[in-house]
Amino acid sequence: MKAVIFAAGLGTRLKPLTDTMPKALVSVGGRPLLEHVLTRLQAAGFGDFIINACHFSDMIASYVERRPDSGAHISLSVEKGEPLETGGGILAARGKILAAGGDGFLAHNVDILSDLDFSWFLSQVRPDALSTLLVSERHTQRYLLFDDDMRLVGWTNIATGQVRSPFPDLDPSRCRRYAFAGIHYISDRIFDAMDALGFSGRFSIVDFYLAAAKAYPIYGAAPASLNLLDVGKTESLAAAEEFVRDRSL
């Protein structure tokens, strides 16, 4: 199985650490964030990895080269200049993703730590799904909106009242509301959909999903229990240390 790990971000919320290293190599529990993700995914059966990189990409390449051989195949998709965001990063890695074989791939943010049961998550992927998004009832301001079949229909910011949806008559109050966890399983058919909808260059995968949701089935999967931590800012590092220690991650 193959996976894309998003590691191209500038990590501005982790400054000053990211003034001298990429976010992917910030240490938690004595190991880089990237290593936590790689180890968890390998244990779940993933063996082909594409890491999208931009900020200090040479340091990530050096880390991968020094990593003890674990049987995994790891390659980098390096973005020059400015990061292409999550959607643009997937599109830029198209050749490497398709060359890895199979018909779909897991996408995982490098700064997400979780105790997700990946076998369960993969069992939730429907044959017709363009993408299956891991979601939870985590408290936030921005939520994805789903119908009763857990098909994506929109997005809302409850702090501002903003709603985005390809369905003009959508009533957010009648939707299921979940937070996106930064982990999703994506069909290789996504590249044809991106071409059909005219996506290119730099763009967010969530922007793509919202544009594609009317024509393509995109579903959410919400586990009964999920412990997840976004290690996106310096204030979360102490919690991350506790997270990996308590769960032996």
Side-chain angles (χ1 to χ4, degrees):
M1 294 189 292
K2 58 186 176 181
V4 172
I5 300 175
F6 293 121
L10 298 177
T12 53
R13 293 181 300 160
L14 280 170
K15 285 180 172 289
L17 292 173
T18 48
D19 287 336
T20 56
M21 69 173 70
K23 175 170 58 177
L25 297 185
V26 169
S27 180
V28 170
R31 295 189 296 160
L33 285 168
L34 176 60
E35 187 60 38
H36 284 285
V37 176
L38 285 169
T39 301
R40 288 269 292 138
L41 292 180
Q42 280 193 258
F46 291 88
D48 281 291
F49 298 97
I50 299 100
I51 302 170
N52 88 316
C54 180
H55 186 53
F56 292 123
S57 62
D58 56 335
M59 294 180 69
I60 295 177
S62 179
Y63 179 81
V64 169
E65 289 172 3
R66 297 193 314 271
R67 188 175 187 258
D69 184 13
S70 60
H73 179 266
I74 304 174
S75 63
L76 265 62
S77 175
V78 178
E79 299 166 11
K80 304 296 184 182
E82 193 176 40
L84 296 172
E85 296 192 33
T86 45
I90 288 174
L91 189 55
R94 179 180 196 158
K96 291 180 180 291
I97 292 170
L98 296 179
D103 56 10
F105 58 98
L106 187 88
H108 195 301
N109 291 1
V110 78
D111 55 3
I112 294 295
L113 299 174
S114 81
D115 61 0
L116 173 65
D117 180 342
F118 286 98
S119 295
W120 172 86
F121 181 55
L122 294 175
S123 76
Q124 302 304 299
V125 176
R126 309 186 200 188
D128 66 329
L130 186 72
S131 187
T132 303
L133 317 181
L134 180 69
V135 296
S136 71
E137 295 182 343
R138 175 172 54 93
H139 178 70
T140 183
Q141 292 184 342
R142 295 176 292 277
Y143 291 95
L144 295 175
L145 301 173
F146 299 87
D147 66 15
D148 288 339
D149 193 35
M150 285 300 288
R151 181 165 173 169
L152 180 68
V153 292
W155 170 96
T156 187
N157 183 324
I158 61 172
T160 64
Q162 181 185 8
V163 176
R164 295 172 57 196
S165 172
F167 302 96
D169 299 325
L170 182 74
D171 181 355
S173 68
R174 304 186 61 163
C175 297
R176 299 185 180 189
R177 195 173 71 183
Y178 290 97
F180 182 37
I183 301 171
H184 29 149
Y185 190 84
I186 304 170
S187 167
D188 284 353
R189 300 189 306 273
I190 196 169
F191 298 111
D192 292 336
M194 287 177 172
D195 292 343
L197 294 173
F199 277 79
S200 63
R202 184 173 184 260
F203 62 95
S204 160
I205 193 62
V206 172
D207 288 346
F208 167 77
Y209 286 153
L210 292 173
K214 187 171 185 178
Y216 300 91
I218 299 166
Y219 298 104
S225 175
L226 177 68
N227 293 296
L228 180 143
L229 183 65
D230 179 350
V231 194
K233 50 189 177 181
T234 53
E235 304 93 283
S236 63
L237 289 175
E241 295 280 347
E242 182 179 350
F243 189 96
V244 299
R245 183 180 65 248
D246 291 350
R247 294 167 180 80
S248 299
L249 295 176

